[in-house]
Every structure is written in C-alpha cells, then in structure tokens.
Amino acid sequence: MASGEGAPPRLRPIDPFWGGGEFMTRPKRKRPTAGADVRPGEDEAASSTLRARSPIRSILIVGGGSAGWMAAAAFINSFREGVSIALVESEEIGTVGVGEATIPAIRSFNRKLRLNEADFVRATGATFKLGIEFVDWGRKKHRYFHPFGRFGTEFDIVSMEQYWLKLRSEGSAPNLEDLSLAAMAASRGRFAPPAKQGLGATFDYAYHFDAGLYAAYLRQYSESRGVVRHEGRIVDVEQDPTSGLVRSIKLADGREVEADLFIDCSGFRALLIEGAMKSGFEDWSHWLPCDRALAVPTARVAGGMTPFTRSTAHEAGWQWRIPLQHRTGNGHVFVSALTSEDEAAKRLLDHVDGEPLTEPRLLKFKAGRRKPWVGNVVALGLAAGFLEPLESTSLYLVSSGILRLFSFFPTRDFDSQTIDRFNKESRIEWENARDFLVLHYHANEREDSELWRSCVSFDPPETLKERMDEFRSAGRLHYFPPEVFARQSWLAVQVGQFVEPLAYHPLVDARPHVNASEYLNRQSSRIRQLSESMPLHEHFIERHCRSDFAATA
C-alpha cells in the first residue's frame, strides 16, 4: 500500500513479543469460602501463612460501557465463590463509545471468557482487522500500513529486518509490506484465520465492532453468571474518615451499595479515582495536542467492508474509518485551537463514503493519565486516562489493567507495596502506548500546516527519543515491557514515517553465506500467493458469521 516513498539512504555496517499474560485460570480444587476456618486437622499457624488474610469479599464496578462490563465478565469468570460482584450504571448517563477498533490482544481476552468467536462477531456486527492504513501522515500523498503480526520468518541468527535494511539501502529489497501477510491480504480485501504453522501463521488479527453491542453482549454474559446490576445515578461517595477508603456509594433513590474493592469505570468523570481519591492527572497534551473529536456513523457501501482501519491525516488532526457489518464508524480528531467545530464537521462529512445516519457527535478530551490505583479504588478505561484512538489502544489498556489487577489482587489490607508495583507497571505501559502515538506526530515531513510543523519541533518524551535514536543509529528495535506493541510494529511505523537508520547490525556483513535476497524474495512471492488464496473479507463473513444487524442495514 505504500506510495510516494523516496529512495532511502544507503546504510553502513542489530521477535515480536507481546507483553502481558492471561487471566488466572479457574482452580481445579474448590476454594474455601471467604473467611472460612482452617480445615480440621490442619495446622492453623502453618495454614495461615498460605492463605490470604482479610480476603476481598465484594467488588463494585462503578459504570458500565465496554470497560465496566469487560471488568464484570472477567471477575465473574475468575471467581467461583466467596466474592460478590456488582455493577452500578445509569441509563441517564450515556457512554462515550462510538464504534471500536481493537488490537489482537482482544482475542486473548475473549478466549479467556470462553466466548465463541462466530457468536461474538454476529452479536456485535463485527468485522476483522488486519492492521491500520495511514494516509498522508509522514508526507502528503503517501500511505503505509501497520500490519498485525510478523514480517516474514526469521532465517538466521541476525534478525530478518537487519538484512532487509541493508538490501533496502542497496535498492534490492522487496517492499516491507510485501513481507507481511496481513498487509498483503488487507490490500486485496481478503481474510482468513492464520494457519497453524509456516508463513500462513505469521499474521494476527483483531476486530472492528460496535462498542455498545459489545457492552450489551458482555452484560448478558455477566448477569447470567451472577453479576448483580444496580440501575441508578450516583449522588454521593462515603469514605472512611480515618483510612480514606471508600465504604459505599449512594444512589439518587437513596440506596447505598457497599463493597471492599471499587473499580472505577465512570469514564471521563472519574467519579471515584479523582472525585473521591484525588489521584491527580498527568497532562500529555503538549505531545498529543488533539482535544476534540466528532463522530458519525454512515450507511455501509458496496465493497466498503475493508479488513483494516484507515487513518487519514488532515490539516488540524486526522480522520478514522472503521467498517462494521451494518454501518461504518467515522470520526475526526482535531485540535480545537486550530480549527472550528463547524470546519471539522465539514471536513469529516466531505470525506465519508456513505450516507450519514446521524448528526456528528462532539467529544471533548485531554490526553493524559491518572495514577490508576489509590486506596481501595482501581480505575479502568477513561477513568484511568485517555489516549486518542489512533492505534486502537483503548480496550487493550482496559483488558491489561484487569489482568494486572489479577496479578496484584489485594486483600482488605490494601498493602502499599502491591499498589505501588501495580501503578509502576501501569505507568510504564501507558507511557509506551503514548510514545507509539507521539511517534506518528513527531516523525513527519509535512510543512503544510501549523499542527504538523509544531509536532516536528517539540521535544518528544525521553523514552521515545531513546527509541528513535537507537533505530536511527543502528536500526535497533528494543523492547521495554510491559509493552503494547511488538518490535515489528515499531519497525512498520518508523519506516512508514521516514525514520531512517544510518546503519544495520554488523553481523550482517560477517555472514556472507546467508543469501538474504533469495530468502526475502522467496518469502515475498509465497506471501503474495497465500494472500491471493484467501477468500474476500465480505465472503468470509457472509459464510461464517454474518450478523442480523447486517441484514437490516
């Protein structure tokens, strides 16, 4: 999909790894109920060192939407007994969701819930996503693709991309996207699940789906397994006057709901983590200046169900396109100081490919994050912070936060060391995600508008500067866990945004017996064949997981 790319500089003579883990699996042996006595005959002193003291007996999730119901589903799937799980939400308060694009980690989340993929796709009007196409980002009239998965397969002790960098500088390398099965299939509008092994297993995929339908799907899942939903608007929060821990929330009708652990999924309001616990907000808008978005769904059009998200840069921001089975999600993310809402709405509607189904809806936000765990409150989703949806990180950060909470699950003592470790890992992960987004803005060669000129001139975060400097100096791609994106995602975007290395790994020249050109060209040819053998994306959906929503669209 790349076009308009200039000749790279000649270079002189350094595995994708997804961070994170999975939810804890259900125990094979029955757990004792919370607060149960030691079993008869068991030494009490020895046993007490092996069991959690003051175990959590109740969890209250404040807020619904995707984040709230993802948390509810994960908790009810993980706790068999001894812990009551409830969620409170108000139909008076809408959710922010405007249609979601995701990254492949969502599949792991769904699998741990034992969701049937075809049923999930039907229920949410979902389509499949092989990556993101970026239009006019690095330069005007240039496009590149960020694919999910690997570029080809490794064939030596030196990473494949190092051989590719050398051949590219000599003008003899295939295009990088020709080495990605995800990119090649996406460019042809094709999709099939990955193979078990070989080149057919080198790609990954995610989904586009309706966020409201996903929340409803998980709500049904959660309530059928025992999650109790309370309908109502929260009007007060009661805290312990000594410890500051939240005791209960009070609803507008006078009901009070108590819990040991509170999960704040109240969106931008951050009702508990900020309103009660005063977590504080770290502002990142000097690196990510967009502060508004206009969202509008459009009717689906023939041939418009592409297996990828499209992001198109404009003068004062960028536009997303997310195809679902029954409609297309569109939005314009922009800097309010550089363009008016009317101008942004016109730009958005001028660049959609279907009939608008509603008027554009305005969202206001600021990029940044909060300390996600304070006392007995843990924030997820927008309550924890906001990163614009440029690389579809929102639901990943929700699922990762849930996973991390399982790893550091507290007792009612709420040990400070546990909380500090959780917050430290969260900070690193959010900063890594932030840096990946800032890379798109900072590494550009556009000079046609104030936004892009200012993004080149600012000092990037030190962590991003270190990555870019290492790639420029020696083509190195380092991994800093906990990471959101694999090394080869960083390769795709840095190459796509014209971050050019000056060197490659010195071992490349020390291994002349490796015929890298033959390997890479053979893989490129095979990848093209495999992509052409896949069914069209729309045909795959029609055959395996067509949604009822598509039938009525």
Side-chain angles (χ1 to χ4, degrees):
M1 290 185 181
S3 64
E5 183 172 352
R10 187 175 181 85
L11 306 187
R12 55 178 173 78
I14 147 166
D15 296 288
F17 178 79
W18 283 89
E22 297 180 341
F23 299 134
M24 62 185 191
T25 56
R26 293 188 176 190
K28 295 180 180 179
R29 293 186 300 171
K30 183 177 180 180
R31 298 178 184 174
T33 58
D37 293 331
V38 180
R39 289 175 293 181
E42 187 177 36
D43 181 80
E44 184 171 350
S47 175
S48 65
T49 65
L50 300 178
R51 296 187 298 120
R53 298 178 184 275
S54 304
I56 297 293
R57 294 189 177 92
S58 56
I59 301 172
L60 180 64
I61 301 161
V62 174
S66 299
W69 288 110
M70 285 174 72
F75 286 133
I76 201 65
N77 181 62
S78 297
F79 294 105
R80 280 190 170 183
E81 57 185 35
V83 180
S84 65
I85 301 164
L87 181 147
V88 59
E89 64 178 343
S90 173
E91 294 179 358
E92 297 177 25
I93 302 172
T95 58
V96 174
V98 291
E100 287 285 355
T102 58
I103 58 178
I106 192 67
R107 294 174 53 222
S108 175
F109 181 88
N110 284 357
R111 281 197 304 269
K112 282 301 171 182
L113 298 181
R114 299 175 175 85
L115 302 183
N116 178 279
E117 182 176 60
D119 288 345
F120 151 76
V121 170
R122 293 187 193 99
T124 60
T127 60
F128 297 94
K129 175 183 175 182
L130 295 169
I132 306 174
E133 180 187 40
F134 289 94
V135 180
D136 292 343
W137 275 85
R139 297 172 184 163
K140 289 279 286 183
K141 301 187 184 303
H142 170 263
R143 63 183 62 209
Y144 69 92
F145 196 77
H146 168 201
F148 295 149
R150 306 196 301 273
F151 291 102
T153 57
E154 298 293 346
F155 50 82
D156 191 35
I157 61 172
V158 183
S159 296
M160 180 276 291
E161 73 264 10
Q162 297 298 326
Y163 286 102
W164 180 81
L165 287 170
K166 178 184 178 181
L167 293 173
R168 179 174 177 257
S169 71
E170 297 171 349
S172 59
N175 290 331
L176 185 61
E177 290 169 15
D178 290 346
L179 296 169
S180 164
L181 185 49
M184 293 289 277
S187 69
R188 289 162 171 76
R190 296 179 179 272
F191 176 80
K196 298 294 184 182
Q197 59 186 3
L199 277 173
T202 57
F203 74 99
D204 208 342
Y205 68 93
Y207 311 104
H208 308 112
F209 55 66
D210 185 305
L213 294 177
Y214 186 53
Y217 185 67
L218 293 183
R219 174 182 170 181
Q220 189 280 328
Y221 173 99
S222 302
E223 290 186 305
S224 69
R225 287 162 173 78
V227 173
V228 176
R229 177 185 180 274
H230 299 282
E231 164 62 33
R233 181 171 53 85
I234 296 174
V235 295
D236 195 18
V237 178
E238 182 184 359
Q239 295 175 259
D240 184 280
T242 302
S243 67
L245 299 182
V246 175
R247 285 179 172 175
S248 65
I249 56 95
K250 184 175 182 180
L251 302 180
D253 61 6
R255 286 177 295 159
E256 290 192 24
V257 186
E258 299 180 343
D260 295 330
L261 176 65
F262 291 81
I263 309 300
D264 190 349
C265 298
S266 62
F268 287 130
R269 293 178 299 150
L271 187 64
L272 300 184
I273 195 67
E274 190 62 47
M277 308 305 284
K278 310 301 181 188
S279 173
F281 185 79
E282 185 177 349
D283 188 347
W284 290 343
S285 59
H286 49 296
W287 291 313
L288 295 168
C290 291
D291 60 353
R292 299 285 189 277
L294 286 163
V296 63
T298 56
R300 64 176 184 174
V301 296
M305 202 185 297
T306 56
F308 57 89
T309 305
R310 178 177 294 125
S311 171
T312 304
H314 293 312
E315 289 183 3
W318 61 276
Q319 181 172 340
W320 78 71
R321 179 185 181 277
I322 301 174
L324 308 182
Q325 290 193 42
H326 53 298
R327 61 173 174 79
T328 300
N330 307 272
H332 182 18
V333 179
F334 61 96
V335 182
S336 61
L338 299 179
T339 189
S340 70
E341 292 173 11
D342 288 343
E343 291 171 332
K346 182 178 186 306
R347 189 173 292 111
L348 169 63
L349 296 174
D350 285 347
H351 291 85
V352 297
D353 55 5
E355 187 69 25
L357 300 176
T358 65
E359 290 296 317
R361 180 160 65 98
L362 179 68
L363 306 171
K364 299 180 181 180
F365 54 82
K366 179 183 290 186
R369 64 176 290 275
R370 294 184 174 89
K371 182 188 296 184
W373 189 346
V374 181
N376 63 338
V377 174
V378 179
L380 296 173
L382 299 176
F386 180 81
L387 292 173
E388 61 190 71
L390 181 60
E391 283 282 359
S392 310
T393 52
S394 176
L395 294 189
Y396 167 83
L397 291 169
V398 173
S399 63
S400 178
I402 295 169
L403 162 65
R404 186 169 294 111
L405 181 56
F406 282 140
S407 297
F408 294 96
F409 201 78
T411 63
R412 282 180 288 163
D413 301 312
F414 294 102
D415 172 64
S416 61
Q417 186 176 15
T418 297
I419 295 173
D420 290 346
R421 183 63 181 174
F422 177 97
N423 285 332
K424 180 179 179 180
E425 289 196 8
S426 297
R427 174 183 58 78
I428 294 170
E429 185 170 55
W430 273 76
E431 288 177 351
N432 286 339
R434 173 204 66 194
D435 289 356
F436 196 59
L437 270 59
V438 175
L439 170 64
H440 297 67
Y441 284 95
H442 183 59
N444 83 85
E445 299 183 355
R446 293 183 54 159
E447 298 181 350
D448 57 294
S449 71
E450 182 178 344
L451 171 62
W452 303 108
R453 290 192 297 268
S454 66
C455 288
V456 172
S457 64
F458 65 56
D459 288 329
E462 192 61 33
T463 45
L464 174 58
K465 184 177 185 298
E466 179 183 348
R467 285 188 194 256
M468 294 176 66
D469 287 348
E470 285 204 90
F471 188 67
R472 283 192 176 109
S473 65
R476 290 188 177 94
L477 297 164
H478 279 185
Y479 174 73
F480 300 93
E483 278 277 25
V484 180
F485 292 101
R487 292 189 313 112
Q488 291 193 353
S489 290
W490 283 87
L491 174 66
V493 174
Q494 289 190 100
V495 169
Q497 298 279 153
F498 305 105
V499 180
E500 297 291 355
L502 300 175
Y504 51 82
H505 199 296
L507 279 181
V508 168
D509 288 340
R511 300 179 64 77
H513 62 287
V514 177
N515 191 336
S517 179
E518 179 182 343
Y519 278 113
L520 292 178
N521 281 294
R522 185 191 307 152
Q523 289 191 8
S524 174
S525 176
R526 179 58 179 152
I527 286 169
R528 179 174 285 101
Q529 293 173 2
L530 287 170
S531 68
E532 291 173 348
S533 70
M534 292 180 178
L536 290 172
H537 180 225
E538 294 191 38
H539 291 176
F540 181 89
I541 289 175
E542 183 70 26
R543 180 175 181 181
H544 297 285
C545 45
R546 183 170 180 262
S547 171
D548 290 340
F549 297 105
T552 58

